[in-house]
Amino acid sequence: MESLANLSSKNLERRNLKDRLFKGLVIFLSMLTISPIVLIIYKLIEKGIRQISFDFILKTPPDTFQAMTALSNGELIPGGIANGITGTLLMVTLASVIAIPVGVITGIYLYENPDKFMANITRNISDILQGVPSIVLGLIAYIWVVKPITSGFSALAGSVSLAIMMLPMIVRSTEETLKMIPQSIKEAALALGVPYYKVLLRVLIPTGFSGLLTGILLGISRILGETAPLMLTALGSSVINLDITKPTSAVPLLIWEFYNDPNMVDLIWSSSLLLMAMVLGLNLLSKRIAARTK
Amino acid sequence: MNENTVKIKDPVLSIRNLSVSYEKGKYAVNDVSADIKRNAVTAIMGPSGCGKSTMLRAINRMHELYENIETKGTLIMNGKDITHMPTIQLRRMAGMVFQRPNPFPTMSIYDNVVAGYKLNGIRMKRSERDDIVERSLRDVTLWDEVKDNLHRKGTFLSGGQQQRLCIARALAFDPEVILLDEPTSALDPVATAKIEDLLVKLKENYSILMVTHNMAQAARISDYSMFMYLGELVEYDKTKDMFTNPRDRRTEEYLTGKFG
């Protein structure tokens, strides 16, 4: 019989080898996963950074002729995407104003009545809503808002389609956040004779505030780059527009327009870089908030 | 009242024929009647699942949080029928402390003490509020430890300090009774001893009803003890008498460690 010490040392060598192999594989696959985002950011910076300036944020896009002249003179394309930035901010703000109260209240309802028939239906429908293609939401907003309410393409219609997109994320994150608050905190407040609605508003929501905020920020970062529904609702505009009943531009809409104009292609990269920075910024912010309260 | 129940004059709380069921026909608390002594510590003992927690929670009706609950019987606090009193009012008269310390994580120590006032929107002068905070924290011997950090979050305190903060929160309303649901079961021995000393001191001004699964604790600090088994109040007597000379066989078996 082989001695126990010999056996284990032989075994150990094989185990170490396997361990190293596996570690290598894990590292390789992780690299593979993060490589797209690194490459995307690299490409956007490489191609887009030279267009970024104060003018890019403060001015509206040039017309085709100006862009062509600049290109043939070997200069940077003048102007910027101020109309897109303001339009995006306008529509995202309006969408948040619509979606946040509705979503949070629905989430609270689901948390309060986990097993009720209506709650189950609401939860399932909200999940299905998350899977509805965004262009379909654009069509719906077209029928609901563009035709009957603003009788024409409008920022309001764009906001409605974006709000519907945000809604399921907010509903779910609200419910999950509230579920994570220990029951004992709720009991403590109730045992002080606090009426239930005040327990909810002044104890549960403040306690879960960072969770709610994280869900909302992720929802916003998701709609920030939406293009398809806006094509059917906000349409786009070459000037800065702050009237919610009028057609309005947005950063992703501008990217699509620049793509269709051979003279403006250079602006695609800088616009994408800006959009990407906004989305990444929001994501990092929400991660920060989530981490701080753990 | 059965013959194994002690008679108490001028009780702070009278429980009459209290029954609580979670399911039809199944009683967690079964026809319990008892009077609770004023300015004393009364312990409720019994093996897990005997209904002691449910009974305690039936007093300030926290048990209504569970679904399908059915309660029968009468509760009289200081001569006043509280059986159907609105819970918002009732719970200010019966402060509660839970198993695990549960200060509000978003509030400072100061705000935690006056949370009952703040959350209920009761306005008062700053000086009045300061007085309540200081008195309550002194009552729980926490004042000297936290007086320089009143505006730090309550969750920064140690477990035992947090539990004392929770007791202070319950005292801030100057309640008629304090209900404690195994208040030391999540604490280490040192913190437990502190809470026990505190409860003995508090009974000068307050009436205390405490659930405990720790017999030694009941023997150490309580003046009166109840023994519950399967929802029934088996025996209720002066702690000294019950521990030295139990009248019911089941009490004796529990106290000698035959089950529980």
Side-chain angles (χ1 to χ4, degrees), chain A residues 228-244:
Chain A
L230 296 185
M231 290 175 167
L232 304 176
T233 50
L235 190 70
S237 153
S238 57
V239 293
I240 293 175
N241 170 51
L242 295 175
D243 181 349
I244 61 168

Side-chain angles (χ1 to χ4, degrees), chain A residues 91-101 159 163 166 170 216 220 223:
Chain A
M91 284 191 280
V92 167
T93 308
L94 196 57
S96 305
V97 168
I98 300 170
I100 292 171
S159 303
M166 264 177 102
I170 295 178
I216 288 167
I220 290 176
I223 61 167

Side-chain angles (χ1 to χ4, degrees), chain A residues 66-261:
Chain A
Q66 285 171 308
M68 198 168 68
T69 326
L71 274 183
S72 60
N73 293 342
E75 291 162 7
L76 286 178
I77 299 175
I81 55 167
N83 54 339
I85 295 172
T86 52
T88 291
L89 290 180
L90 174 70
M91 284 191 280
V92 167
T93 308
L94 196 57
S96 305
V97 168
I98 300 170
I100 292 171
V102 178
V104 169
I105 289 170
T106 310
I108 290 172
Y109 169 73
L110 295 184
Y111 162 74
E112 284 307 319
N113 307 285
D115 302 317
K116 275 207 181 126
F117 182 69
M118 264 307 287
N120 278 327
I121 298 224
T122 311
R123 193 178 294 111
N124 286 330
I125 287 180
S126 154
D127 284 352
I128 293 168
L129 192 58
Q130 190 144 29
V132 173
S134 58
I135 187 106
V136 176
L137 297 178
L139 281 171
I140 292 295
Y142 180 83
I143 293 169
W144 283 356
V145 183
V146 172
K147 296 198 86 179
I149 298 179
T150 52
S151 43
F153 296 106
S154 66
L156 181 66
S159 303
V160 168
S161 63
L162 295 181
I164 300 174
M165 270 191 86
M166 264 177 102
L167 204 52
M169 293 190 76
I170 295 178
V171 170
R172 253 300 149 87
S173 73
T174 304
E175 191 191 0
E176 296 303 325
T177 303
L178 291 177
K179 268 200 217 156
M180 280 183 2
I181 299 174
Q183 185 74 11
S184 63
I185 300 290
K186 196 167 147 183
E187 282 184 336
L190 286 172
L192 289 171
V194 181
Y196 195 77
Y197 77 96
K198 278 193 185 161
V199 175
L200 198 62
L201 289 179
R202 304 204 42 190
V203 176
L204 296 183
I205 290 186
T207 306
F209 185 71
S210 63
L212 295 184
L213 201 61
T214 308
I216 288 167
L217 289 180
L218 287 178
I220 290 176
S221 77
R222 172 149 185 246
I223 61 167
L224 215 50
E226 268 308 318
T227 324
L230 296 185
M231 290 175 167
L232 304 176
T233 50
L235 190 70
S237 153
S238 57
V239 293
I240 293 175
N241 170 51
L242 295 175
D243 181 349
I244 61 168
T245 63
K246 295 269 159 53
T248 307
S249 193
V251 179
L253 278 178
L254 281 179
I255 295 175
W256 171 245
E257 282 167 25
F258 295 150
Y259 173 79
N260 287 320
D261 188 332

